[in-house]
Amino acid sequence: MNSACLWQPSPESLRHSNMYHFMQQVNRFHDLQLQDYSELWQWSVEKTTRFWPLVWQHCGVVGRLGDIVAENRQEMARTRWFPDSRLNFAENLLRRDDEALAIISRLEDGSRRTLTWHQLTRQVAHVAHWLQSVGVEPGDVVAGYLPNVPEAVIAMLATTSLGAVWTSTSPDFGAASVIERFGQTRPVVLFACDGYRYGGKAIPIRDKVAEVATAIDSVRQVVEIPQLGLAGPPASGIGWHSLLQGEAPPLRFVERAFNDPLYILYSSGTTGQPKCIVHGIGGTLLQHLKEHQLHCDIKPGERVFYFTTCGWMMWHWLVSALASGATLVLYDGSPFHGDGKVLWDLARDEQIALFGTSAKYLDALHKQGYAPIKTHSLPQLRLICSTGSVLSPEGFDYVYQQIKADVQLASISGGTDICSCFVLGNPMSPVYRGESQGRGLGLAVQVFNEAGQPVQGEKGELVCTKPFPAQPIGFWGDESGEKYHAAYFERFDNVWCHGDWIELTEHGGIRFYGRSDATLNPGGVRIGTSEIYRYVEQLDEVEESIVIGQQWQQDERVVLFVRLRDGLTLDDPLRERIRQQVRHHCTPRHVPARIVQVSAIPRTKSGKIVELAVREVVHHRPVKNTHALANPEVLEEFRDREELAS
């Protein structure tokens, strides 16, 4: 399938890109003649032990680069990068201490706060001093139960300045979900808000915070960060502002090993207790610097925005942009608040250069017929990043036709497992309709067929065949490494298998077809779920959908659930239109055997639809962890449906 070219860099912008300068540096250092991105990528995966030290030097990592690049490279799960190197994460994010803006924070009600680099550094120093005074030491875990506001960034930087470990979730999580996560990682300090605002409502959470703090006996201190201005003293007895009183003490950074823990992130937990994925200091920093400076071409002073919460890995990715001297633009609230233009007002008013969001958000705007290109002048906007789910080819069309014609669109994908991206954009290559631009530098990403052979132009598993620094250092509490090995290395020997169903195109780009564990298998033919969503959701009547494979008569049949526009009822003519749409654009095997109307689609807290949970309910199997869902009650709509009994 050929894809139309929708964007390509001008010769001038290409020559001025950070990646182009990096390629010239590679050529000089190694007497090469690399000409384009594909050649640079090939060199970076063939010569990984040359590539990663050069990224360290090119991006100016603050720390001591040791003599050893990598140990145990023959065994991917046990590889350790830069074992004799030392650094501090917060020190690398706080390289500036001037009066330029480091953070711009906006809430859905329009309120705005800013912090200069100097103010940010002073507040981090205050909080770090307090953490030290209550006994926080390197390796201790500190947790945040917080909205996406400056205090979350400050608390994280203060924690990591001491060499302690940061873990966080967002305030929309219920107490049981938070206890399930933090109860495993046992933080000694909890930073929590009194509440948050979403969709025009003030939502207090003091009761939830108290429940969490009581249930987790490792928590010695709770600090309340006011968001709602609730009456009375903080429930914890410690208010955020009390930490910032007096003269700021000097900010000192505790030097740590490259592979010491930095963050603990949690899997969605929809198939059992969430995995506690531990990411290392150096691997996270190096990978984020590479992605920001080389792939996203971020320059000092540029304004970078991602719509995210503290419960999603993209928050950690966003915050790392400080290490490139960028200004963070934070937003907390509903992306559709008020008239639905809130994020585009933000992009215009704050002169955002990198605008990051989810594919579902872009799909929703498309469905609404909203066209920012008609209402918002966005001269500074040069890069739109989309992630979270598959961005359809029509989503690409929407961006270029209804948001901005001259913009680079990067469909990026990686995840919580690596706290970064396997596949993303770059400033030197064209953007083709429906394709991610390419594989990340230094990442030996391939597509494997069922036999474990690399293929191009065929659908298969996303794998990485060589070690890379952003691999997790393990799972919290998994001392033997057995769970870690089972999660990524069980399918193919000594090869990371990520769980995405993809295709490598003739351009070197990537097309995504959904999660491989959710692929359909009627008659033994594997079908990516995104292929069905793409065409079903083009119909005006269909707001969104979810598809599963139902075991039926020694085979599997495709079952499609649809949420229709308000006031509509699924009838046989509409069912037939849906089937014709799928048959016409896909194949007869894609056509759903059953189509069922539901009022809502179940999602994780980060907005991803959960095919596996629906599949379990349909097959009368227990869903192991409904706490992970934003709307677990809707699963009942999928249980014992008459339509699926015959």
Side-chain angles (χ1 to χ4, degrees):
M1 181 175 73
N2 290 321
S3 300
C5 178
L6 301 178
W7 176 90
Q8 53 188 352
S10 69
E12 183 181 17
S13 69
L14 191 155
R15 285 194 304 272
H16 284 92
S17 69
N18 293 330
M19 185 174 279
Y20 181 82
H21 289 297
F22 178 78
M23 186 173 71
Q24 299 312 310
Q25 192 177 9
V26 172
N27 285 339
R28 287 195 303 272
F29 282 9
H30 299 290
D31 194 24
L32 298 170
Q33 296 294 322
L34 305 178
Q35 297 293 319
D36 58 23
Y37 182 75
S38 63
E39 292 181 1
L40 178 61
W41 178 83
Q42 192 65 44
W43 175 83
S44 74
V45 297
E46 289 176 357
K47 306 293 184 183
T48 54
T49 57
R50 294 183 184 178
F51 169 74
W52 289 108
L54 193 56
V55 171
W56 177 301
Q57 293 159 355
H58 182 85
C59 295
V61 173
V62 179
R64 290 188 287 154
L65 180 59
D67 297 322
I68 304 170
V69 177
E71 293 178 326
N72 303 319
R73 280 195 299 142
Q74 284 66 42
E75 190 177 347
M76 195 170 177
R78 294 184 60 246
T79 303
R80 286 292 177 265
W81 291 85
F82 302 103
D84 58 344
S85 296
R86 310 281 293 182
L87 73 168
N88 180 277
F89 186 77
E91 185 175 16
N92 276 276
L93 271 63
L94 292 171
R95 301 185 202 185
R96 299 178 64 173
D97 189 9
D98 54 35
E99 297 306 318
L101 290 183
I103 297 177
I104 299 167
S105 174
R106 293 269 291 266
L107 301 179
E108 66 174 26
D109 64 3
S111 58
R112 182 180 191 264
R113 289 190 291 154
T114 62
L115 283 175
T116 67
W117 287 93
H118 181 72
Q119 290 169 330
L120 175 62
T121 302
R122 298 287 76 75
Q123 292 194 28
V124 171
H126 274 296
V127 178
H129 179 73
W130 178 83
L131 286 170
Q132 210 164 20
S133 75
V134 298
V136 174
E137 298 179 345
D140 284 344
V141 177
V142 174
Y145 189 13
L146 296 170
N148 183 20
V149 292
E151 289 82 1
V153 181
I154 294 163
M156 180 280 288
L157 290 169
T159 298
T160 57
S161 74
L162 300 175
V165 183
W166 177 256
T167 191
S168 63
T169 191
S170 55
D172 58 328
F173 275 60
S177 295
V178 178
I179 293 165
E180 192 171 42
R181 287 159 172 77
F182 295 168
Q184 294 184 73
T185 53
R186 300 189 58 74
V188 296
V189 173
L190 175 65
F191 290 93
C193 58
D194 60 350
Y196 63 102
R197 289 181 171 83
Y198 192 90
K201 297 178 181 177
I203 304 166
I205 68 161
R206 275 181 171 174
D207 289 348
K208 291 199 295 184
V209 173
E211 186 179 344
V212 169
T214 301
I216 302 174
D217 60 9
S218 61
V219 175
R220 302 195 297 257
Q221 303 281 348
V222 181
V223 179
E224 182 176 282
I225 296 171
Q227 292 296 299
L228 300 183
L230 298 180
S236 62
I238 304 172
W240 173 262
H241 295 297
S242 68
L243 275 54
L244 306 179
Q245 300 304 309
E247 189 69 26
L251 179 55
R252 296 190 174 91
F253 300 103
V254 176
E255 201 174 58
R256 299 287 279 159
F258 188 92
N259 296 295
D260 281 341
L262 168 71
Y263 290 142
I264 304 171
L265 274 61
Y266 304 94
S267 66
S268 61
T270 52
T271 57
Q273 193 174 44
K275 297 192 294 286
C276 306
I277 305 170
V278 185
H279 293 285
I281 298 168
T284 303
L285 177 68
L286 208 57
Q287 176 82 335
H288 288 182
L289 283 169
K290 179 205 75 174
E291 293 183 346
H292 289 157
Q293 293 188 23
L294 303 185
H295 286 277
C296 296
D297 203 32
I298 292 173
K299 309 251 187 357
E302 281 198 311
R303 296 183 174 186
V304 176
F305 165 77
Y306 224 102
F307 180 73
T308 183
T309 72
C310 294
W312 191 19
M313 57 124 319
M314 291 310 302
W315 181 84
H316 306 77
W317 189 91
L318 168 65
V319 172
S320 288
L322 291 170
S324 297
T327 301
L328 304 185
V329 180
L330 309 180
Y331 173 80
D332 197 70
S334 168
F336 298 106
H337 183 62
D339 57 9
K341 300 176 183 177
V342 62
L343 297 189
W344 300 104
D345 289 347
L346 182 73
R348 178 196 62 206
D349 298 345
E350 303 300 349
Q351 301 175 56
I352 288 169
L354 187 164
F355 182 100
T357 186
S358 67
K360 276 295 175 190
Y361 172 72
L362 295 174
D363 287 343
L365 294 184
H366 190 188
K367 276 281 183 187
Q368 293 170 10
Y370 178 51
I373 200 167
K374 297 177 181 177
T375 55
H376 290 72
S377 175
L378 304 168
Q380 303 298 323
L381 181 62
R382 57 172 185 78
L383 176 61
I384 294 175
C385 292
S386 167
T387 192
S389 58
V390 179
L391 183 64
S392 68
E394 291 74 21
F396 280 70
D397 296 339
Y398 171 73
V399 167
Y400 284 98
Q401 294 168 10
Q402 305 298 338
I403 297 180
K404 189 175 182 181
D406 183 23
V407 70
Q408 181 190 352
L409 173 59
S411 179
I412 68 177
S413 182
T416 302
D417 310 84
I418 62 170
C419 197
S420 56
C421 306
F422 276 124
V423 172
L424 66 169
N426 76 76
M428 294 174 58
S429 300
V431 172
Y432 291 97
R433 183 176 185 262
E435 296 182 19
S436 298
Q437 280 178 284
R439 298 166 282 185
L441 292 177
L443 301 175
V445 170
Q446 300 287 350
V447 183
F448 271 15
N449 63 16
E450 297 285 344
Q453 300 164 327
V455 293
Q456 186 167 3
E458 297 178 27
K459 296 165 191 169
E461 295 278 359
L462 189 162
V463 301
C464 191
T465 61
K466 290 186 177 183
F468 54 98
Q471 288 173 225
I473 58 177
F475 294 166
W476 195 262
D478 179 29
E479 301 302 331
S480 69
E482 190 176 327
K483 292 180 182 176
Y484 173 59
H485 188 277
Y488 307 113
F489 301 102
E490 209 165 62
R491 177 76 192 278
F492 302 111
D493 183 42
N494 207 30
V495 168
W496 177 291
C497 184
H498 195 57
D500 280 333
W501 192 241
I502 68 168
E503 177 187 354
L504 178 62
T505 74
E506 66 271 26
H507 308 119
I510 298 287
R511 293 194 190 102
F512 282 85
Y513 297 97
R515 294 290 295 171
S516 56
D517 58 5
T519 55
L520 310 171
N521 199 23
V525 178
R526 293 190 75 175
I527 295 172
T529 54
S530 73
E531 298 174 81
I532 294 176
Y533 299 143
R534 173 186 175 187
Y535 295 110
V536 169
E537 293 175 14
Q538 286 179 15
L539 296 172
D540 288 341
E541 295 92 339
V542 180
E543 288 287 356
E544 57 182 349
S545 58
I546 192 166
V547 66
I548 65 160
Q550 182 192 15
Q551 297 304 311
W552 191 255
Q553 297 179 347
Q554 288 76 53
D555 196 358
E556 181 175 286
R557 66 180 182 182
V558 177
V559 175
L560 176 71
F561 298 92
V562 292
R563 181 172 75 84
L564 303 181
R565 282 195 291 115
D566 288 347
L568 297 183
T569 300
L570 183 65
D571 55 18
D572 286 340
L574 180 53
R575 284 191 180 92
E576 186 55 29
R577 284 189 60 217
I578 292 171
R579 289 193 174 102
Q580 289 295 340
Q581 176 86 343
V582 174
R583 182 180 287 109
H584 176 72
H585 290 287
C586 300
T587 72
R589 289 195 180 276
H590 289 72
V591 176
R594 294 289 183 270
I595 305 174
V596 182
Q597 183 173 2
V598 291
S599 66
I601 303 294
R603 297 182 176 280
T604 65
K605 301 283 189 181
S606 60
K608 296 179 181 178
I609 62 175
V610 284
E611 292 113 331
L612 297 186
V614 170
R615 192 170 71 191
E616 296 302 271
V617 169
V618 166
H619 289 99
H620 303 98
R621 297 190 289 258
V623 178
K624 296 179 182 177
N625 194 348
T626 56
H627 297 316
L629 303 183
N631 53 349
E633 68 283 353
V634 307
L635 285 175
E636 288 305 310
E637 281 198 53
F638 297 81
R639 191 182 307 280
D640 297 323
R641 295 295 299 238
E642 283 184 26
E643 300 95 326
L644 305 185
S646 62

